[in-house]
Amino acid sequence: GRKPNSQDLGLEEAGVAMDPRSGKVIVDEHSRTSVDSIFAIGDVTDRIQLTPVALMEGMAMARTMFGDAPSKPDYENVPSAVFSQPPIGTCGLSEETAAKKYGSVDVYLAKFKPMKHTMPTGRGDEEKYLMKMIVVSDGFEGAGRVVGCHMVGAEAGEMMQGIGVAMKAGATKAHFDSTVGIHPTAAEEWC
């Protein structure tokens, strides 16, 4: 992981509380530090270290400082991607975390070669996908709700952006199942 670059900013002298081990600036849910007039956002707070998350935190901070009501960032279902080869995309909870939070989850797993590579492209054995959807089990609070989606394969980041919107809206497995997939795409496997 990264270490917040908070040294030599004069924060200690200003009275801003920091974690002595990690160097992160300690903030409340509205990004306010231990000094009422000083806010901190982004990697220096050691929350979710993604540029779009820092933008979200900044918007919430601006609403808190200059708006009519305090606003706090929403860290639930933040989609992210690792632009590796193959790419990795994720949104929501891991299977283990979801099971602890909701009591029981159902896991839907798909491993496949994309249809476009079933034709003679020369890359059929190289291009593979793995998709995993985590859903709250029947009989538990939130039953049917999709609480995690994870994948490895081409365009993972692109797919996770759309899935992130669906998950923010509270999509259920039934919503995914009733959606008509675009054929022939790898994304249709989510439907």
Side-chain angles (χ1 to χ4, degrees):
R2 296 178 282 192
K3 185 176 178 183
N5 188 8
S6 57
Q7 284 64 34
D8 302 323
L9 296 176
L11 295 174
E12 297 94 339
E13 292 82 5
V16 174
M18 295 192 306
D19 183 287
R21 227 179 82 215
S22 69
K24 77 176 180 178
V25 176
I26 298 171
V27 295
D28 67 12
E29 64 184 0
H30 297 104
S31 300
R32 191 182 308 266
T33 68
S34 56
V35 177
D36 281 349
S37 61
I38 300 176
F39 290 75
I41 60 169
D43 293 356
V44 75
T45 63
D46 200 24
R47 294 181 278 194
I48 300 176
Q49 296 181 345
L50 297 169
T51 300
V53 171
L55 293 171
M56 171 188 65
E57 291 170 348
M59 295 301 291
M61 182 191 72
R63 286 190 297 273
T64 297
M65 292 175 72
F66 307 112
D68 293 336
S71 178
K72 57 185 178 180
D74 179 2
Y75 297 102
E76 187 176 3
N77 296 328
V78 173
S80 64
V82 178
F83 297 100
S84 54
Q85 186 55 35
I88 301 166
T90 185
C91 185
L93 303 175
S94 69
E95 181 179 345
E96 181 181 357
T97 302
K100 285 179 185 173
K101 182 173 181 176
Y102 292 100
S104 179
V105 293
D106 299 324
V107 178
Y108 299 87
L109 191 66
K111 299 177 188 177
F112 62 96
K113 180 181 355 177
M115 183 172 274
K116 70 180 179 181
H117 292 299
T118 59
M119 301 295 185
T121 62
R123 295 188 359 226
D125 290 332
E126 299 165 17
E127 297 290 333
K128 296 194 172 130
Y129 282 77
L130 171 81
M131 295 176 168
K132 183 177 188 178
M133 179 181 282
I134 301 159
V135 179
V136 179
S137 298
D138 286 342
F140 292 84
E141 188 174 337
R145 182 171 171 223
V146 176
V147 294
C149 287
H150 314 282
M151 73 169 286
V152 177
E155 308 305 331
E158 297 290 337
M159 286 190 221
M160 281 302 128
Q161 186 65 70
I163 288 171
V165 172
M167 289 177 64
K168 273 288 195 203
T172 63
K173 177 76 164 81
H175 289 127
F176 276 82
D177 291 345
S178 67
T179 301
V180 176
I182 300 170
H183 182 74
T185 66
E188 73 181 306
E189 288 295 318
W190 291 110
C191 304

